[in-house]
Amino acid sequence: MLGCLMQELGKSMSDDAQFTHAQMVRFDRVMSGPPERTWAVLADAGSLPGWYGTGHIEPHAGGAVELMGGHIKGIVTQWRPAERLAYTWNVYNPGDAVSPYPESYVTFTVTAVGDGTVLTLEHLPVLEQFVRLNAVGWHTYLDMVTAAVRGGPVESRDIYMKANARRYNVDLANPLG
């Protein structure tokens, strides 16, 4: 019976590993001040209401993540203050009980460098059709984090989004077109 199943599935099937590539968006951003200042913005959803919207990040591994009024939900997988924050990333449309998109992972690594900090953001996998739009969103987020860490005014999300949409050649009126 198993032999028939293997024949039906085709001769390309094998017990050997298959090697594939997942799309990823990564940023390395130099931030002013110590890692603790950057961490404070990353770990507190109330620090950037223009990005996070209504939501929270529970401060421990296993904690719930709910951002943008429930549009984004996940679970904290790593919580190492002033070093690393990682969580699952699930996108929900209004009214969805289950996300129609594959789960992905967001990792923020905070590293002291001289008198500043390098913030590395990695998001993977990203569906190929969303890579540039994803880059616009995360670039916008990092622009907002940078402004907050500096202690200056944080512009509205829309201002950053428009500038970054031009940078990545994304039409916000038709982002997947």
Side-chain angles (χ1 to χ4, degrees):
M1 178 137 199
L2 185 57
C4 292
L5 179 62
M6 292 292 287
Q7 283 179 329
E8 284 181 42
L9 292 174
K11 294 181 182 181
S12 63
M13 192 164 191
S14 167
D15 288 340
D16 293 339
Q18 297 176 32
F19 299 97
T20 62
H21 298 277
Q23 296 288 329
M24 172 181 167
V25 174
R26 177 188 167 121
F27 290 90
D28 295 297
R29 179 75 64 103
V30 176
M31 311 296 279
S32 61
E36 292 77 14
R37 189 181 311 162
T38 297
W39 177 264
V41 175
L42 296 176
D44 177 14
S47 67
L48 286 178
W51 173 266
Y52 292 119
T54 305
H56 63 276
I57 301 170
E58 290 181 354
H60 58 87
V65 175
E66 186 169 318
L67 307 172
M68 301 176 189
H71 179 60
I72 305 298
K73 295 179 185 177
I75 301 293
V76 175
T77 58
Q78 294 181 47
W79 181 273
R80 294 196 324 251
E83 291 179 17
R84 190 176 194 89
L85 170 61
Y87 48 84
T88 60
W89 181 270
N90 296 282
V91 178
Y92 289 81
N93 296 317
D96 285 348
V98 176
S99 173
Y101 305 102
E103 181 172 71
S104 58
Y105 304 88
V106 177
T107 302
F108 302 95
T109 305
V110 181
T111 307
V113 177
D115 60 353
T117 298
V118 173
L119 171 59
T120 300
L121 180 156
E122 297 174 321
H123 186 176
L124 77 148
V126 176
L127 294 175
E128 188 170 354
Q129 69 264 33
F130 294 119
V131 170
R132 288 185 308 137
L133 185 59
N134 187 282
V136 170
W138 285 122
H139 200 124
T140 295
Y141 171 77
L142 290 172
D143 289 345
M144 295 173 81
V145 169
T146 299
V149 167
R150 285 185 186 142
V154 179
E155 301 289 339
S156 78
R157 179 182 176 152
D158 289 345
I159 290 172
Y160 297 109
M161 286 290 283
K162 287 176 185 173
N164 290 319
R166 286 189 299 274
R167 176 188 301 263
Y168 295 101
N169 197 28
V170 171
D171 176 2
L172 291 175
N174 184 21
L176 299 178

